[in-house]
Amino acid sequence: MEKKEIYLESLKTATPQEGRELAIKLARKSVAAIQTDGEIRKKLRNDYAQDTAQLIASSQVIATEFQTIAMANNFWK
Amino acid sequence: MEKKEIYLESLKTATPQEGRELAIKLARKSVAAIQTDGEIRKKLRNDYAQDTAQLIASSQVIATEFQTIAMANNFWK
Amino acid sequence: MEKKEIYLESLKTATPQEGRELAIKLARKSVAAIQTDGEIRKKLRNDYAQDTAQLIASSQVIATEFQTIAMANNFWK
Amino acid sequence: MEKKEIYLESLKTATPQEGRELAIKLARKSVAAIQTDGEIRKKLRNDYAQDTAQLIASSQVIATEFQTIAMANNFWK
Amino acid sequence: MEKKEIYLESLKTATPQEGRELAIKLARKSVAAIQTDGEIRKKLRNDYAQDTAQLIASSQVIATEFQTIAMANNFWK
Amino acid sequence: MEKKEIYLESLKTATPQEGRELAIKLARKSVAAIQTDGEIRKKLRNDYAQDTAQLIASSQVIATEFQTIAMANNFWK
């Protein structure tokens, strides 16, 4: 059912900023793995971007993904 | 009550991408452990795939499972 | 108020699969510690097993418990 | 505002089972720190023990507290 | 926008009990960073202290902050 | 779609207090990455700052981001 697209080659990123961008990408890919119809996702996204509770919940997902990425990069020390 | 199916042989995966796929699988198996009727799950899934709050909540589960898997694979370093 | 039943002898399990089963058990025992009436729990469970938001929330609990168990087993490496 | 009662002498417990009990205690003490009126808490508890969404959310708190306790005990290895 | 008050000098505490108190303080300071009007916070607090779902959600924040504090103190071993 | 602004140069901060401020900043930047219209965010923020459930959920995001930052700074030991 999932797309066979490879969207995660490595958890390593050159900078913390790129780590944030990867965290956001992973969060989006999880939604895409469940709701596989891109048109429906686009429509849904317009809705939740106006809903603060869902924006905050999305930020929580990003925070969790980022923690994993930061660990993988030894916190970019 | 749980099915005796073995769905988790190992937390090791060859690649980070396969780690994502395992995280999604574990999240689904948890739902299946509670709602054991596959027909009901199928019907429920159609509903929540249209509900952004639930898509985000599912992404949170995937993020947590993935963190565990990433640790188990030493972040594929 | 809690039952004096010993339900957690050890976090060690022989396999990752048994780790999943222990995670599910711990999640259930937490509910039982708060709602001590087994008859009420049985009735409540029929309800939430049809509610995707609650199935997902339960999966989050399982994911967190499993992370602890996986750490305790050094990820079954 | 918080009660000066000492309810956490140590994170060490003799057994994993006692670790679960401590996790449940910590979760309860957090609620008590915010809602300091014991009579109100008693009344509220009757309500949420019938509400599966809240039972699951409480189980999540217990899972997080237990993870900390398990780490503190080196997972009772 | 945030107040320049220094409320976190160190994550070190003398005892686990003080670690709990610091966790509660950090949770409150986060709310204060977003809702900067103390009068509004006071009014809001009266409301949520009667709402079990929010009491439980607050306990989750405390559990997460406490985990960080416990790690910082090497679990007061 | 994301702004190319660099908002995270490093997870290192001089003090725990600055770590809290960075955690709050990261939480806000996640919201901004999803809802890119600053005017809409401003309007939404007025709403959720009055909603305790959302204030608590935001505090949870901050707690998670802070845990990552605290680890990256070896807890400012």
Side-chain angles (χ1 to χ4, degrees):
Chain A
M1 216 62 91
E2 283 96 296
K3 296 184 294 181
K4 287 300 166 202
E5 177 204 4
I6 304 299
Y7 57 81
L8 180 61
E9 294 276 4
S10 168
L11 289 170
K12 289 281 187 163
T13 69
T15 64
Q17 180 70 34
E18 288 180 25
R20 294 302 291 182
E21 285 155 21
L22 180 56
I24 294 167
K25 178 181 168 182
L26 291 182
R28 288 186 177 153
K29 291 295 183 183
S30 290
V31 170
I34 306 166
Q35 177 45 269
T36 51
D37 186 324
E39 285 308 304
I40 294 177
R41 285 202 307 276
K42 209 169 166 181
K43 183 187 153 299
L44 291 174
R45 198 174 157 188
N46 285 339
D47 294 344
Y48 84 72
Q50 309 264 357
D51 178 333
T52 52
Q54 295 188 42
L55 285 168
I56 297 166
S58 299
S59 302
Q60 184 67 49
V61 179
I62 293 168
T64 305
E65 299 282 13
F66 180 70
Q67 188 171 80
T68 306
I69 294 164
M71 287 171 175
N73 286 280
N74 199 25
F75 304 98
W76 297 274
K77 275 171 196 173
Chain B
M1 216 63 91
E2 283 96 298
K3 296 184 294 181
K4 287 301 166 201
E5 177 204 4
I6 304 299
Y7 58 81
L8 180 61
E9 295 276 3
S10 168
L11 289 170
K12 289 280 186 165
T13 69
T15 63
Q17 180 69 34
E18 288 180 25
R20 295 302 291 182
E21 284 155 22
L22 180 55
I24 293 166
K25 177 181 169 181
L26 291 182
R28 287 186 177 155
K29 291 294 184 184
S30 290
V31 169
I34 307 167
Q35 177 46 267
T36 51
D37 186 324
E39 285 308 305
I40 294 178
R41 284 202 308 276
K42 210 169 165 181
K43 183 187 153 297
L44 292 174
R45 197 174 158 189
N46 286 340
D47 294 344
Y48 83 73
Q50 309 263 358
D51 179 332
T52 52
Q54 295 189 40
L55 285 169
I56 296 166
S58 299
S59 303
Q60 184 67 50
V61 179
I62 293 168
T64 305
E65 299 282 13
F66 180 70
Q67 188 172 80
T68 306
I69 294 164
M71 287 171 175
N73 287 280
N74 197 27
F75 304 98
W76 299 274
K77 275 175 194 175
Chain C
M1 216 62 89
E2 283 96 299
K3 296 184 295 182
K4 287 302 165 200
E5 177 205 3
I6 304 299
Y7 59 81
L8 180 60
E9 295 276 3
S10 168
L11 290 170
K12 289 281 186 163
T13 68
T15 63
Q17 180 70 33
E18 288 180 26
R20 295 302 290 182
E21 284 155 22
L22 180 55
I24 293 166
K25 178 181 169 182
L26 291 182
R28 286 184 179 157
K29 291 294 183 183
S30 291
V31 170
I34 307 168
Q35 176 46 267
T36 51
D37 186 325
E39 285 308 305
I40 295 177
R41 284 201 308 276
K42 209 168 164 183
K43 184 187 153 297
L44 291 174
R45 197 174 158 188
N46 285 340
D47 294 345
Y48 83 73
Q50 309 263 359
D51 179 332
T52 51
Q54 295 189 41
L55 286 169
I56 297 166
S58 299
S59 303
Q60 183 67 49
V61 179
I62 293 168
T64 304
E65 298 282 12
F66 180 70
Q67 188 172 80
T68 305
I69 295 164
M71 287 171 176
N73 287 281
N74 197 27
F75 305 98
W76 298 274
K77 275 176 195 175
Chain D
M1 216 63 89
E2 283 96 299
K3 296 184 296 182
K4 287 300 166 201
E5 178 204 2
I6 305 299
Y7 59 80
L8 181 60
E9 295 276 3
S10 168
L11 289 170
K12 289 280 186 164
T13 69
T15 63
Q17 181 70 34
E18 288 180 26
R20 294 303 291 182
E21 284 155 22
L22 180 55
I24 293 167
K25 178 181 169 182
L26 292 182
R28 286 183 179 157
K29 291 294 182 183
S30 290
V31 170
I34 307 168
Q35 176 46 268
T36 51
D37 186 324
E39 284 309 303
I40 294 177
R41 284 201 308 275
K42 211 168 164 182
K43 184 188 154 297
L44 291 174
R45 197 174 157 188
N46 286 339
D47 295 343
Y48 83 73
Q50 309 264 359
D51 179 332
T52 51
Q54 295 189 41
L55 285 169
I56 297 166
S58 299
S59 303
Q60 183 68 49
V61 179
I62 293 168
T64 305
E65 298 282 13
F66 181 70
Q67 188 171 80
T68 305
I69 294 164
M71 287 171 176
N73 287 280
N74 198 26
F75 304 98
W76 298 274
K77 275 174 195 174
Chain E
M1 216 63 89
E2 283 96 296
K3 296 185 295 182
K4 287 300 166 200
E5 179 204 1
I6 305 299
Y7 58 81
L8 181 60
E9 295 275 5
S10 169
L11 289 171
K12 288 280 186 165
T13 69
T15 63
Q17 181 69 34
E18 289 180 25
R20 294 303 290 184
E21 285 155 22
L22 180 55
I24 293 167
K25 178 180 168 182
L26 292 183
R28 286 184 179 157
K29 291 295 183 184
S30 291
V31 170
I34 307 167
Q35 177 45 269
T36 52
D37 186 325
E39 284 309 304
I40 294 177
R41 285 202 307 275
K42 211 168 164 181
K43 184 187 152 298
L44 292 174
R45 198 176 156 187
N46 285 339
D47 295 345
Y48 83 74
Q50 310 264 358
D51 178 333
T52 52
Q54 295 189 40
L55 286 169
I56 297 166
S58 298
S59 303
Q60 183 68 49
V61 179
I62 293 168
T64 305
E65 298 282 13
F66 181 70
Q67 187 171 81
T68 305
I69 295 165
M71 286 171 175
N73 287 281
N74 197 27
F75 305 98
W76 299 274
K77 275 176 194 174
Chain F
M1 216 61 91
E2 284 95 296
K3 296 184 295 182
K4 286 301 166 201
E5 177 204 3
I6 304 299
Y7 58 81
L8 181 60
E9 295 275 4
S10 168
L11 289 171
K12 290 282 187 159
T13 69
T15 64
Q17 181 70 34
E18 288 180 26
R20 294 302 291 182
E21 285 155 21
L22 180 56
I24 293 167
K25 177 180 168 182
L26 292 182
R28 287 185 177 155
K29 291 295 183 183
S30 290
V31 169
I34 307 167
Q35 177 46 268
T36 52
D37 186 325
E39 285 307 305
I40 294 177
R41 284 202 307 276
K42 210 169 164 180
K43 183 186 153 299
L44 292 174
R45 198 174 156 188
N46 285 339
D47 295 344
Y48 83 74
Q50 309 264 358
D51 178 334
T52 52
Q54 295 189 41
L55 285 169
I56 297 165
S58 299
S59 303
Q60 184 67 50
V61 179
I62 293 169
T64 305
E65 298 282 14
F66 181 70
Q67 188 171 81
T68 306
I69 294 164
M71 287 170 174
N73 286 280
N74 196 26
F75 305 98
W76 299 274
K77 276 176 193 172

